[in-house]
Amino acid sequence: MNTLLSMTKRNIKLFFKDKGMFFTSLITPIILLVLYATFLGKVYRDSFAASMPDGLIVSDALINGTVSGQLISSLLAVSCITVAFCSNFLMVSDKVTGVSRDFAITPVKKSTLSISYFLATLITTLIITYSAVLIGLVYIAITGWFYNVIDVILILLDVTILTMFGTALSSIINYFLKSQGQLSAVGTVISAGYGFVCGAYMPISQFGIGLQRVLMFLPGTYGTSLIRNHSLAGVLRQMTIEGFPVDVVEKIKDSIDCNIYFFDNKIGIGVMYGVVIGTIALLLGINILINTLSKKRKIS
Amino acid sequence: MENIIQIDNLVKFYGKHKAVDNLSLKVKKGDLFAFLGVNGAGKSTAINIMCGVLDKDSGKVVIDGKDIDKDAKIISREIGVVFQNSVLDSKLSVKDNLLCRASLYGITGDAANNRINELSQLLDFDTLLSQAVGKLSGGQRRRIDVARALIHKPKILILDEPTTGLDPQTRRNLWQVIENLRKKDEMTVFLTTHYMEEAVDADYIIILDSGKIAAEGKPIKLKTKYTGDFVTIYGASEDEIAKLQLPYEVLGEGIRIQVKNTAEARDLILKHPDLFEDFELVKGTMDDVFLAVTGKKLGGQN
């Protein structure tokens, strides 16, 4: 147990000391913020206002709360995955620099090392994403607060679950990476691509129907929708209180990915949790399997 | 004296390439053992098998009476390795690095701190403990590499080209520390090196070529068997030396003549006293042995 704690501590320290790695992990969230500041915020706002039926009066606080909720949920959905991948890149750089050789000659079990990478990635990602939640809540408090305590708890739960998903997924993919080139390639694809795939830059509902159906096979989509639902729960509740027709609220939920559909079947919140948690369990199982079945490293 | 390492008929293939070809060797406890060979000769493969990080195809490896196939984890506690390139975390401090590596052997808390203090005295790095490894000089980093290899008090220290890239003074200092450890703790040192003068002090040498043993023995015996003697004469002209009809080469101010053995050198001197007014008689070097045995120079040139 002491070895596991010591190795986890080492991995966490290295992530925060490696400024390059740390800032790389924040590239996608930063891009999203820049896009939001330059035009995405306006697009969200205009699109929301345009979807309102004529004669319906919508307060600025409600509009701001909706737009902020979209931004925060996008940021969190992206960060949980990209930060986890970058943090977990340590297991690859240990192979590249030869540090893993130094571990291989000791009596420590491979499983202990694997768990230490997993725990360190989970902890570092949670530190960053919880910080993002905190900053996001402060921002929402300024622009338009409609949350209750349960909403906040559920957002934290979603972030935790999605972070576990990102950590488990990155543990499998990074396990097979062995060179700096592979690491850079995967890092670039994840940083650049995940924002689009999860609908952070543009809601999935605005994609073509074919692509929407493909994205529904990705477990991350369900995690993103969970965060969207709970980040926007307050404003959606407020809309109902303010007398918005039910079908209008449902259309808004459709347009911002709170409602997602698997071949026209609407997915409930419970199913979303089931898919994400089930996937995490499956990924952890695969992790254990590849670590158990892998042979000794070949060192020429 | 008992054998602390015994390898019998070790074979390792990489695909169809036979990296280690029926290698058998014994290393006595407390010896300085030199394992020489050009890059790709099979040294690192054999060492990786001994360390338990690489599977062998056949053969038997016994370290301190334990079979690598059955007791790899126990054996790993008895071996410390100084790798050719530093494998510590450059962004972490010396102390953090050593604490982390100690924990891999189950050494934590006070035991780890005490061991680090002990090593910092021995290797003189107590002022470097809080510095990041990446900021240390080559010599300082090497001392930390040695400390890391010794963190768990191993019985065998494997040095894989430990002094490559170090200046002569740092090399000498490092060897002094290792010699002290050998004498004090009766530690066995298993060395691979490109510096032949480091192998001269070994108790036993094996020269590996294409995965096979090309020559083995004590340094002096290898020199006697493979190189003969050399007489370097100063103040004589090349024409006069050429008349002796012996192989020679001009070395700066002197001319080096190769003779079969010391007896031939003695006869030559007695026969031509006028030529041998200023001379020196030396055995061949380990470089000469290596060249004679493998037809290659260490560093990879043919």
Side-chain angles (χ1 to χ4, degrees):
Chain A
M1 184 54 87
N2 283 338
T3 305
L4 179 64
L5 288 178
S6 170
M7 287 306 294
T8 305
K9 198 170 143 192
R10 172 242 178 208
N11 298 344
I12 293 171
K13 265 192 181 180
L14 273 173
F15 176 75
F16 285 108
K17 289 212 174 215
D18 189 340
K19 291 179 184 63
M21 193 79 89
F22 179 67
F23 286 114
T24 304
S25 71
L26 296 178
I27 281 178
T28 314
I30 289 169
I31 289 174
L32 199 58
L33 277 176
V34 171
L35 292 178
Y36 176 80
T38 51
F39 75 97
L40 264 186
K42 191 173 179 303
V43 170
Y44 286 169
R45 191 170 278 108
D46 292 348
S47 143
F48 179 67
S51 67
M52 291 297 107
D54 292 339
L56 198 65
I57 299 163
V58 185
S59 66
D60 281 350
L62 206 56
I63 293 176
N64 289 337
T66 308
V67 174
S68 306
Q70 275 184 277
L71 169 73
I72 301 307
S73 57
S74 296
L75 270 176
L76 294 176
V78 168
S79 303
C80 292
I81 308 299
T82 59
V83 175
F85 263 87
C86 287
S87 173
N88 223 346
F89 278 152
L90 180 64
M91 75 158 77
V92 188
S93 63
D94 277 351
K95 288 180 212 165
V96 174
T97 56
V99 172
S100 55
R101 274 184 89 193
D102 199 27
F103 297 158
I105 61 162
T106 70
V108 73
K109 287 180 185 167
K110 273 183 81 175
S111 56
T112 306
L113 292 176
S114 300
I115 296 169
S116 78
Y117 286 123
F118 185 91
L119 287 179
T121 300
L122 189 62
I123 293 166
T124 49
T125 312
L126 284 177
I127 289 171
I128 291 174
T129 49
Y130 281 171
S131 305
V133 169
L134 189 69
I135 295 165
L137 290 179
V138 170
Y139 178 71
I140 283 177
I142 295 166
T143 55
W145 178 276
F146 297 96
Y147 290 141
N148 58 30
V149 177
I150 293 174
D151 293 332
V152 175
I153 291 171
L154 287 173
I155 291 171
L156 288 171
L157 176 69
D158 298 340
V159 165
T160 308
I161 290 174
L162 204 55
T163 299
M164 285 184 78
F165 168 71
T167 305
L169 181 65
S170 63
S171 295
I172 294 172
I173 293 176
N174 292 358
Y175 182 89
F176 296 100
L177 306 182
K178 292 192 169 29
S179 70
Q180 190 65 42
Q182 292 172 341
L183 188 150
S184 304
V186 172
T188 307
V189 168
I190 296 295
S191 296
Y194 193 76
F196 285 104
V197 171
C198 79
Y201 300 133
M202 192 168 83
I204 293 171
S205 62
Q206 292 181 23
F207 293 160
I209 196 75
L211 185 56
Q212 279 187 45
R213 284 188 172 161
V214 170
L215 292 179
M216 289 309 293
F217 283 94
L218 303 180
T221 306
Y222 299 81
T224 306
S225 186
L226 278 172
I227 294 185
R228 285 248 195 269
N229 269 291
H230 297 131
S231 298
L232 290 150
V235 282
L236 292 169
R237 206 166 38 236
Q238 186 63 25
M239 286 175 195
T240 311
I241 292 167
E242 289 186 12
F244 278 47
V246 175
D247 61 324
V248 171
V249 175
E250 284 304 311
K251 272 187 183 167
I252 293 170
K253 286 171 84 173
D254 284 350
S255 69
I256 54 179
D257 296 343
C258 287
N259 288 340
I260 50 173
Y261 299 86
F262 188 81
F263 289 96
D264 299 332
N265 296 310
K266 189 177 163 188
I267 308 294
I269 295 287
V271 176
M272 291 183 199
Y273 275 121
V275 169
V276 181
I277 292 170
T279 307
I280 293 169
L282 178 70
L283 294 175
L284 289 177
I286 295 172
N287 255 308
I288 292 167
L289 203 65
I290 56 178
N291 277 288
T292 311
L293 295 180
S294 68
K295 289 187 174 176
K296 288 174 184 173
R297 289 181 56 224
K298 282 189 174 181
I299 304 162
S300 54
Chain B
M1 208 186 294
E2 62 178 300
N3 294 322
I4 194 158
I5 302 172
Q6 181 153 355
I7 296 177
D8 294 314
N9 307 314
L10 182 66
V11 173
K12 175 69 190 173
F13 282 93
Y14 289 124
K16 286 183 180 173
H17 171 65
K18 209 173 194 177
V20 177
D21 188 358
N22 218 29
L23 175 71
S24 295
L25 63 87
K26 289 173 188 168
V27 180
K28 288 190 168 61
K29 191 178 179 186
D31 267 7
L32 169 57
F33 181 92
F35 203 42
L36 309 178
V38 293
N39 291 337
K43 307 185 300 287
S44 294
T45 301
I47 287 174
N48 285 326
I49 292 170
M50 281 166 56
C51 293
V53 295
L54 192 63
D55 283 329
K56 57 187 168 55
D57 289 312
S58 64
K60 192 166 183 173
V61 176
V62 177
I63 312 273
D64 199 22
K66 293 160 198 88
D67 192 323
I68 195 88
D69 291 332
K70 295 173 192 159
D71 299 312
K73 292 288 171 198
I74 299 172
I75 290 171
S76 66
R77 291 183 184 279
E78 301 189 353
I79 295 178
V81 184
V82 176
F83 292 102
Q84 196 173 339
N85 301 311
S86 182
V87 285
L88 295 174
D89 297 311
S90 59
K91 293 213 161 39
L92 295 186
S93 71
V94 169
K95 187 164 185 181
D96 280 346
N97 264 290
L98 294 177
L99 281 172
C100 162
R101 299 313 196 264
S103 78
L104 297 172
Y105 296 90
I107 307 165
T108 54
D110 287 347
N113 283 312
N114 291 340
R115 181 61 180 153
I116 291 168
N117 286 339
E118 220 174 281
L119 289 168
S120 69
Q121 299 297 320
L122 183 73
L123 293 158
D124 192 23
F125 63 82
D126 43 343
T127 55
L128 306 176
L129 281 169
S130 58
Q131 288 194 37
V133 166
K135 301 233 163 104
L136 303 179
S137 70
Q140 288 171 332
R141 203 181 297 197
R142 226 50 185 139
R143 272 187 281 156
I144 310 305
D145 289 335
V146 174
R148 181 266 168 266
L150 298 174
I151 196 85
H152 55 297
K153 297 187 179 172
K155 290 181 181 172
I156 301 164
L157 180 63
I158 295 177
L159 303 168
D160 192 2
E161 296 176 22
T163 55
T164 302
L166 296 184
D167 62 79
Q169 180 64 39
T170 311
R171 251 180 11 220
R172 265 196 298 276
N173 292 346
L174 194 63
W175 272 110
Q176 206 164 15
V177 169
I178 291 165
E179 269 310 295
N180 289 343
L181 282 168
R182 279 185 62 212
K183 283 175 191 157
K184 196 169 130 268
D185 300 334
E186 216 190 359
M187 195 166 62
T188 307
V189 176
F190 193 102
L191 166 76
T192 76
T193 181
H194 276 176
Y195 296 107
M196 288 289 101
E197 67 268 32
E198 289 178 347
V200 171
D201 296 326
D203 295 296
Y204 202 81
I205 293 175
I206 278 185
I207 297 175
L208 210 59
D209 191 22
S210 305
K212 288 182 190 166
I213 293 178
E216 64 179 309
K218 289 183 177 296
I220 192 74
K221 287 198 172 167
L222 289 176
K223 284 181 181 181
T224 305
K225 185 171 178 184
Y226 292 102
T227 69
D229 289 3
F230 293 92
V231 185
T232 306
I233 303 171
Y234 300 98
S237 72
E238 195 175 340
D239 290 341
E240 289 172 305
I241 300 298
K243 284 177 191 164
L244 298 175
Q245 294 187 317
L246 289 167
Y248 71 90
E249 63 177 319
V250 179
L251 297 172
E253 293 178 11
I255 299 172
R256 192 169 85 144
I257 306 168
Q258 188 175 356
V259 290
K260 280 182 198 141
N261 48 41
T262 314
E264 188 182 336
R266 181 196 61 210
D267 295 343
L268 199 65
I269 295 164
L270 290 173
K271 199 171 170 187
H272 305 279
D274 48 323
L275 271 180
F276 290 83
E277 284 180 354
D278 184 7
F279 69 93
E280 59 185 343
L281 174 65
V282 290
K283 291 262 177 215
T285 63
M286 283 308 300
D287 280 308
D288 297 318
V289 172
F290 194 85
L291 186 62
V293 169
T294 65
K296 300 163 188 165
K297 285 183 180 174
L298 268 182
Q301 305 99 318
N302 286 323

